[in-house]
Amino acid sequence: MSVDRKKLGALLKWYIQEVGKDLIAVIVVNREGLVIDAITGGSDKSVDEEIVGGVSALVEPVLTRITKEFSSGAFGTGTFDTEDYRLIFCEAGPEAVFVTVLDAVAMVDPVFPYAYLTAEKIARIFDGRTVSPVIPKIITQSSGTIERKKGALQKIKVQSGEYAYKLILGGDGGVGKTSMVHRFVEDAFQTDYKSTIGTSIMKKECEFEGLSSKVRFVIWDLAGQSQFKRVRQTYVENAEAGIVVYDVTRKDTFDNIDIWHKEIKEASPTISLVLVGNKIDLVDDRNVTTEEGQALAQKLGLTYIETSAKDGTNIQDAFKMLALQMIKRFVVTEEV
Ligand code: GTP
């Protein structure tokens, strides 16, 4: 088995950067507990062998338990707290387990979305599938539902059951909403532009390697044109998840995001939203910078990601970001 080490290293570095100061180390181990890669956090960028060695020793007995008590691929995610650390274990496909080592005082909840996404990407690297090492900034409210329990292995579960979330898309006409949905649902792209009239509804499940639960979406694709505004209101109501999209080549679509955001929030105050800048394949025509997109997301308190429905860049991740926000609301722990 040949693993793309460079990509794995880049991904782990990105993860460390996003998780921030509470992160002490990340370790990728195989099922036998052998360290495949490890990086320590903090300002000292070099790998601190001592920390990795110490943490590996800590991880080993927990890993043994995970592999013993749960057949391969069925554990999902768990936490384990020691005197000095908080550990998160995420299955990363059949080959590897992704271990995050946090400071004892850290909150685990905000780290989960990043850990799932990274575990998913690690699994892809191990499979030799294509994967972007980029981890987008995920903005969610910290809930602190996972308590610190020293010496206990806690399994993380999502209490969403069979329920499917209503997902809507907002944004001006022609920004690529329908194309994103098609790319996500069917992995296809159509070039002939027919404006969406009325609504089409599609279903799709989002799965995570590091999590045994699935997130089901019922995607409502509404017409973007303003003449349908009254109809739109009805569709936005009761939506639990939404993607607001602008076209990075058209500044006006970016300027209108505020209006879309307001309209959606008014109709569905508790909705989880992600901001997407689409059409990044049109590099030469770009009129809105990444920094502008990030600044707007920050202002609105949203997660931001840039995509191309045309070549598929980050489309899966955009929906996954949203799935992670849904997951976060329904996390429960079970001591095992
Ligand atoms: P409405 O239904 O009018 O609200 O439009 P929409 O937001 O659903 O846009 P749609 O997906 O129909 O795409 C509009 C046009 O942009 C089509 O011609 C697409 O082929 C094109 N398009 C969509 N996404 C991308 C992208 O990522 N890159 C490029 N180059 N073109 C895109």
Side-chain angles (χ1 to χ4, degrees):
M1 176 188 61
S2 82
V3 178
D4 186 342
R5 290 300 189 120
K6 235 174 109 186
K7 198 155 244 185
L8 185 60
L11 175 66
L12 296 183
K13 281 215 181 87
W14 208 294
Y15 177 72
I16 284 179
Q17 187 187 310
E18 286 309 324
V19 173
K21 61 170 177 40
D22 290 335
L23 193 137
I24 291 177
V26 287
I27 306 176
V28 180
V29 283
N30 70 11
R31 296 271 169 184
E32 282 75 49
L34 213 71
V35 176
I36 298 165
D37 208 341
I39 301 185
T40 45
S43 50
D44 179 14
K45 291 280 178 281
S46 66
V47 178
D48 189 328
E49 295 289 340
E50 212 170 296
I51 290 184
V52 172
V55 168
S56 304
L58 268 178
V59 164
E60 210 183 281
V62 186
L63 265 185
T64 313
R65 276 193 62 190
I66 291 176
T67 31
K68 229 195 248 164
E69 291 175 31
F70 305 92
S71 56
S72 160
F75 180 76
T77 303
T79 66
F80 188 84
D81 296 317
T82 72
E83 189 67 38
D84 303 318
Y85 304 114
R86 304 199 71 179
L87 309 175
I88 302 175
F89 294 84
C90 260
E91 269 183 335
E95 317 268 2
V97 179
F98 174 52
V99 188
T100 302
V101 185
L102 300 170
D103 195 89
V105 297
M107 277 223 292
V108 167
D109 300 65
V111 182
F112 272 112
Y114 292 109
Y116 290 138
L117 196 73
T118 308
E120 172 90 12
K121 286 173 185 264
I122 291 172
R124 290 181 77 97
I125 292 174
F126 272 78
D127 285 358
R129 284 177 285 172
T130 53
V131 57
S132 139
V134 176
I135 307 278
K137 190 165 283 309
I138 305 170
I139 297 177
T140 50
Q141 281 83 35
S142 310
S143 48
T145 45
I146 301 161
E147 278 176 45
R148 184 168 153 78
K149 282 190 188 162
K150 232 166 44 187
L153 182 58
Q154 302 189 77
K155 193 173 172 180
I156 309 296
K157 295 201 299 198
V158 180
Q159 224 175 20
S160 62
E162 292 303 300
Y163 188 69
Y165 300 105
K166 176 177 173 183
L167 188 163
I168 54 135
L169 288 106
D172 288 357
V175 294
K177 300 180 294 293
T178 304
S179 305
M180 283 185 66
V181 174
H182 278 280
R183 174 60 76 192
F184 177 59
V185 175
E186 298 151 16
D187 200 13
F189 182 75
Q190 284 151 350
T191 42
D192 56 327
Y193 174 51
K194 285 188 211 79
S195 180
T196 315
I197 306 286
T199 314
S200 67
I201 298 178
M202 275 161 280
K203 285 186 190 163
K204 172 94 174 173
E205 284 181 343
C206 247
E207 286 182 69
F208 292 90
E209 298 275 353
L211 196 70
S212 36
S213 317
K214 287 177 189 157
V215 175
R216 296 175 179 82
F217 282 129
V218 178
I219 305 166
W220 298 52
D221 182 17
L222 359 157
Q225 271 65 11
S226 54
Q227 63 261 39
F228 300 120
K229 194 166 176 187
R230 263 193 318 144
V231 190
R232 232 161 48 203
Q233 199 76 27
T234 329
Y235 290 129
V236 173
E237 270 165 17
N238 305 319
E240 285 118 332
I243 300 182
V244 262
V245 190
Y246 68 91
D247 176 345
V248 297
T249 71
R250 284 164 53 207
K251 186 77 167 44
D252 55 321
T253 68
F254 176 73
D255 294 337
N256 284 335
I257 289 293
D258 266 330
I259 299 167
W260 280 101
H261 180 255
K262 192 158 168 272
E263 188 187 316
I264 292 171
K265 274 288 190 186
E266 270 169 14
S268 217
T270 59
I271 195 167
S272 292
L273 291 173
V274 166
L275 177 65
V276 169
N278 186 41
K279 305 199 189 179
I280 53 164
D281 57 286
L282 300 172
V283 180
D284 297 338
D285 301 327
R286 190 154 177 151
N287 277 314
V288 184
T289 64
T290 303
E291 290 70 29
E292 287 173 307
Q294 283 168 341
L296 178 61
Q298 190 90 34
K299 188 185 99 182
L300 301 175
L302 306 179
T303 295
Y304 176 68
I305 188 163
E306 297 191 335
T307 62
S308 164
K310 186 168 186 178
D311 63 23
T313 305
N314 290 343
I315 294 291
Q316 297 290 328
D317 281 2
F319 285 87
K320 288 211 156 161
M321 292 289 104
L322 209 44
L324 287 169
Q325 295 194 20
M326 308 316 295
I327 284 174
K328 268 212 70 194
R329 293 195 196 173
F330 299 96
V331 159
V332 287
T333 54
E334 179 189 71
E335 203 170 316
V336 290

